[in-house]
Amino acid sequence: MKIAIWGMKEWEQEYVKSALGKDGGGSAEIIFYDGILKTETLPTENDFDIISIFVDSTVNKATLDHFPNLKGVVTRSTGYDHLDVKECQVRNIIASYIPSYGENTVAEFAFALILALSRKVYSAVDNFRETGKYSFEGLQGFDLMGKTIGVIGTGRIGKYAIKIAKGFDMKVVAYDAFPNEAMSKELGFTYLPFEEVLKASDVVTIHVPLLPETEHMFNEKTFPLMKKGAILVNTSRGAVVKTESLVEALQSGHLSGAGLDVIEEEGVLKDEMGFVLHGSPQGHNIKTMIANHVLSDMPNVLLTPHAAFNTKEALIRILDTTIENIKGIVSNTPINVIKSK
Ligand code: NAD
């Protein structure tokens, strides 16, 4: 069995090798590649049975064509919009993912962004560092207690966000395409239609997956429905929010801030030099790429590099599930298989 893995740190490689590799008494031959798997930089070696990637890689028809022996694609993430799952199915290639590795991890990060915005934490640190002036001038924030938070998507992560919000004594309203009434009773929150959640909320936090139905759910028509002065936090997927419309909502002052751990065209943002040297504008939105830089310059916007998953505890859980997913494919008893919609 030959396995290729992209983007693992050295300690992660050792962890996986000791569980799966020849070094650890297992039978797999594992090759680790730095960086990401993308069509522009496919490796010359291509006789792998299994490949494992993270959200920044892309698995599409061209990638699958390149690996003729492929039996499985294992993504080390909860979201899988970077994989062509249908194409994997057509080719009888198993695509597996990490359904859950600590829903608290991402929800905690969403609140790190919410608090950083509501209390202007970043500006406070930055002002002192830049000016040397020890002053709270211009740094007035607002209490979370008593405010309304709108949770968009009440799955694993959304549920944790609701629990945390309750701890802050916030009023919680939520929207989900498949409401969980038992959970709403248990945790004490109210489901409302999407538009009503936007109208009612001082803070909106997004926890839906990226699907055709959720793509650009936040756009020039829906942003104006949000409360004036509200803040938006997105830790789900960049394309749930239409970037240009977000810039407009912030620039006009309709929104008072945004915390974005994910953003459209974040793949390019991660390697702009690579894009300039090897990339093609085809399939990319140059205006969005420029909008990302405009956003990063706005003082009321916090951009983080898709880091919400990144805690020590979560990474170990991701690695353990990845190892089990690979073993499942090797032993013909796959687990955590992604079903195409
Ligand atoms: P989940 O599947 O448990 O929950 C998703 C929720 O969205 C479900 O309740 C579902 O009913 C709802 N939903 C689906 N389609 C909808 C629609 N059209 N409209 C409204 N609601 C809809 O997923 P999760 O574990 O809570 O993760 C949510 C997303 O968070 C993932 O899909 C992933 O994209 C993202 N994520 C980001 C990071 C990060 O590091 N930033 C880490 C993990 C996950």
Side-chain angles (χ1 to χ4, degrees):
M1 201 48 78
K2 216 167 158 186
I3 303 170
I5 300 182
W6 274 263
M8 268 191 187
K9 301 217 165 48
E10 225 172 286
W11 73 266
E12 296 175 283
Q13 297 181 7
E14 291 308 317
Y15 194 91
V16 169
K17 266 197 280 184
S18 69
L20 290 175
K22 287 179 177 155
D23 296 358
S27 59
E29 182 187 341
I30 311 175
I31 307 222
F32 294 97
Y33 290 100
D34 284 340
I36 61 179
L37 171 66
K38 51 183 178 182
T39 40
E40 294 91 341
T41 53
L42 290 164
T44 37
E45 206 165 341
N46 68 345
D47 56 343
F48 298 110
D49 301 281
I50 298 173
I51 57 174
S52 173
I53 49 156
F54 190 55
V55 286
D56 40 13
S57 289
T58 309
V59 172
N60 53 22
K61 283 185 184 162
T63 327
L64 296 171
D65 284 343
H66 186 70
F67 300 109
N69 299 351
L70 212 57
K71 297 179 184 62
V73 178
V74 177
T75 184
R76 303 192 296 282
S77 58
T78 303
Y80 43 78
D81 44 276
H82 53 299
L83 300 185
D84 189 336
V85 177
K86 271 203 180 112
E87 193 58 30
C88 287
Q89 268 184 351
V90 167
R91 297 173 190 227
N92 275 328
I93 294 169
I94 290 159
S96 62
Y97 75 129
I98 316 284
S100 151
Y101 53 81
E103 31 280 8
N104 67 297
T105 307
V106 177
E108 284 173 19
F109 196 86
F111 266 83
L113 290 174
I114 292 169
L115 284 164
L117 287 165
S118 66
R119 304 307 303 271
K120 302 197 170 149
V121 178
Y122 179 80
S123 298
V125 174
D126 202 42
N127 282 0
F128 185 45
R129 192 172 280 153
E130 288 299 311
T131 65
K133 230 171 107 191
Y134 192 69
S135 159
F136 52 70
E137 205 57 47
L139 296 175
Q140 190 174 71
F142 64 87
D143 283 353
L144 292 185
M145 189 176 85
K147 296 292 185 309
T148 300
I149 185 167
V151 178
I152 309 299
T154 58
R156 298 180 190 92
I157 297 169
K159 179 180 179 180
Y160 245 89
I162 293 169
K163 285 186 179 179
I164 298 173
K166 285 281 170 181
F168 279 100
D169 272 341
M170 297 184 85
K171 188 178 166 212
V172 182
V173 292
Y175 169 69
D176 197 292
F178 308 94
N180 180 340
E181 295 300 345
M183 184 167 85
S184 97
K185 277 204 189 84
E186 180 201 332
L187 298 183
F189 70 92
T190 312
Y191 279 111
L192 293 175
F194 180 55
E195 290 74 13
E196 298 304 315
V197 171
L198 298 188
K199 284 180 197 163
S201 304
D202 303 288
V203 177
V204 172
T205 182
I206 309 177
H207 302 292
V208 285
L210 176 60
L211 300 168
E213 307 83 62
T214 58
E215 185 173 359
H216 289 182
M217 212 175 167
F218 287 79
N219 56 40
E220 63 281 0
K221 290 203 181 81
T222 53
F223 274 124
L225 300 176
M226 287 179 72
K227 226 178 184 177
K228 188 163 166 40
I231 61 173
L232 177 73
V233 166
N234 187 10
T235 55
S236 68
R237 283 293 179 267
V240 176
V241 175
K242 191 170 169 189
T243 310
E244 286 167 54
S245 314
L246 174 63
V247 172
E248 200 184 333
L250 287 160
Q251 207 269 340
S252 69
H254 191 72
L255 290 191
S256 69
L260 309 167
D261 186 48
V262 286
I263 191 156
E264 291 184 287
E265 299 288 2
E266 65 184 45
V268 174
L269 212 50
K270 194 163 188 171
D271 183 16
E272 288 187 321
M273 177 64 90
F275 181 75
V276 170
L277 295 179
H278 314 291
S280 144
Q282 229 179 6
H284 293 280
N285 187 332
I286 306 287
K287 204 170 169 190
T288 301
M289 293 182 202
I290 296 170
N292 288 345
H293 285 278
V294 169
L295 282 171
S296 76
D297 280 340
M298 289 181 157
N300 52 346
V301 174
L302 298 177
L303 274 185
T304 53
H306 203 134
F309 74 98
N310 192 8
T311 66
K312 197 173 172 185
E313 296 82 356
L315 275 176
I316 295 286
R317 290 189 288 259
I318 289 172
L319 288 180
D320 287 341
T321 309
T322 300
I323 290 162
E324 291 313 310
N325 286 354
I326 292 175
K327 283 182 177 168
I329 295 169
V330 172
S331 63
N332 236 341
T333 49
I335 55 168
N336 301 323
V337 177
I338 307 168
K339 293 171 190 76
S340 86
K341 301 245 157 56

